[in-house]
Amino acid sequence: MAAVFNLNHHATYVHFHIGGGTTPFFVFDMSLSNVILIAVMLAVFVAAIALPFPHTPGAGGQK
Amino acid sequence: MSVTQPPAESSKSWTLRVRERAVAALPPEKLLADKQPTYVASWIYVFGVLSLTSLAVIILTGSILTLKGPGWWHFTGIGHFFNSMHLWSVELFFFFMVIHLWGKYWMAAWRGGRKRVWITGAVTFLVAVPCALTGYVSQQNFDAQWISTQAKDAMNSVGIGAFFNLLNFGQMYSYHVLLLPVAVVALVVIHVLLVRKHGVVPPFRISERMAAFQSRPASPADADLSSSHEVAS
């Protein structure tokens, strides 16, 4: 991975919060790479449900 | 001299009793089935076996790394290769296992007497997490030092730092190469055997149709209809 991406720097974080002050109501703090990974997992999950499966020879399919 | 014959039931050897119970619980046609229901012809059903495949690569590469040692996996080209194979098969194992978990959760895979299938799968996931963590702290590099010093605070905060000491390399390595992998593999074997016993959970619509089908009076056409829902695997 290091050959493809420059990893010699601090991680980029996705951060947002709901509510201000010292105790926000909700805080989201996650590295960008983890956010991307979870997004890819969700995309694969949706694709696995939505995409048709190749039919087995002789099978009647999902009827 | 006469010999009193014990009752027939008690004359059975324990191996025979175990065999009979094993075959009754999991008949060969279920253990090594050659047909699957048509509803498994969906991509969402492949993530379980992808997880198994990743686990096989993890065990294979992990065994080689254990035999060769840190000097090999840090300072030789082939060692780096197997180290990377081990790391990325773990990443894929969790990737596939999480999607498998999502799929089964939204399918309510505990339906139809499959509670133990669901529980063994969920516990496998929970045991796999410390298995991976102990691997990260067993790398023998600065990454491992960083992770262990950060994670020890988490363990201490929940009061298990005295029993699970991330700064103790010997303990972490023992957990990683023996105790936790044995637990994961044992749970996976039980999980797969339970899947074989109970069958793959059907989609909701098919489950409802099967319930309606089973509740109606039997007819000679039933055998043909039930067999039409299977395909060769």
Side-chain angles (χ1 to χ4, degrees):
Chain A
M1 290 294 282
V4 180
F5 300 102
N6 178 19
L7 301 176
N8 192 24
H9 57 76
H10 291 292
T12 305
Y13 273 73
V14 177
H15 178 88
F16 68 88
H17 61 271
I18 300 170
T22 54
T23 56
F25 174 70
F26 175 78
V27 175
F28 181 88
D29 194 29
M30 190 180 288
S31 68
L32 180 62
S33 52
N34 271 329
V35 171
I36 293 170
L37 180 65
I38 292 169
V40 170
M41 289 168 80
L42 284 168
V44 171
F45 178 65
V46 172
I49 295 169
L51 291 177
F53 194 79
H55 289 282
T56 308
Q62 292 188 78
K63 301 290 183 190
Chain B
M1 190 173 81
S2 65
V3 177
T4 306
Q5 292 291 328
E9 191 64 29
S10 62
S11 68
K12 289 181 181 176
S13 68
W14 69 270
T15 52
L16 179 59
R17 288 200 302 273
V18 169
R19 189 178 72 211
E20 286 177 350
R21 287 187 68 174
V23 171
L26 199 58
E29 63 272 18
K30 280 190 173 181
L31 182 64
L32 294 169
D34 60 336
K35 290 180 178 178
Q36 292 293 337
T38 50
Y39 55 76
V40 302
S42 165
W43 287 112
I44 199 65
Y45 283 100
V46 305
F47 289 94
V49 81
L50 286 175
S51 305
L52 287 175
T53 309
S54 306
L55 181 62
V57 178
I58 291 168
I59 299 296
L60 178 68
T61 53
S63 301
I64 293 167
L65 290 173
T66 305
L67 288 171
K68 303 295 280 188
W72 182 74
W73 75 60
H74 278 310
F75 299 114
T76 67
I78 189 74
H80 278 145
F81 175 74
F82 275 93
N83 196 15
S84 297
M85 284 273 286
H86 193 62
L87 169 72
W88 286 105
S89 54
V90 170
E91 305 287 340
L92 287 173
F93 179 61
F94 277 94
F95 188 97
F96 295 138
M97 195 162 48
V98 167
I99 296 175
H100 180 59
L101 180 72
W102 287 345
K104 296 304 159 187
Y105 176 78
W106 292 109
M107 235 181 258
W110 49 84
R111 285 177 291 138
R114 294 178 176 84
K115 276 182 291 190
R116 286 182 297 168
V117 181
W118 170 259
I119 290 167
T120 51
V123 173
T124 302
F125 180 79
L126 293 176
V127 175
V129 172
C131 197
L133 174 64
T134 53
Y136 288 121
V137 301
S138 298
Q139 294 175 91
Q140 294 280 276
N141 57 13
F142 287 126
D143 189 29
Q145 287 185 21
W146 172 259
I147 294 169
S148 59
T149 50
Q150 296 298 303
K152 76 174 174 54
D153 293 338
M155 299 302 152
N156 289 337
S157 71
V158 294
I160 60 169
F163 313 103
F164 192 77
N165 182 3
L166 281 117
L167 299 180
N168 182 344
F169 171 74
Q171 188 190 34
M172 290 301 105
Y173 195 64
S174 303
Y175 268 109
H176 183 67
V177 302
L178 179 66
L179 299 176
L180 292 170
V182 166
V184 169
V185 170
L187 284 163
V188 166
V189 168
I190 295 168
H191 183 71
V192 171
L193 289 177
L194 286 169
V195 171
R196 288 293 183 180
K197 181 181 180 184
H198 295 286
V200 181
V201 67
F204 282 105
R205 278 181 298 177
I206 292 178
S207 189
E208 288 162 9
R209 281 186 209 164
M210 284 168 68
F213 177 77
Q214 286 164 357
S215 64
R216 75 192 183 95
S219 72
D222 288 355
D224 297 335
L225 284 171
S226 60
S227 63
S228 71
H229 283 285
E230 291 184 338
V231 294
S233 59

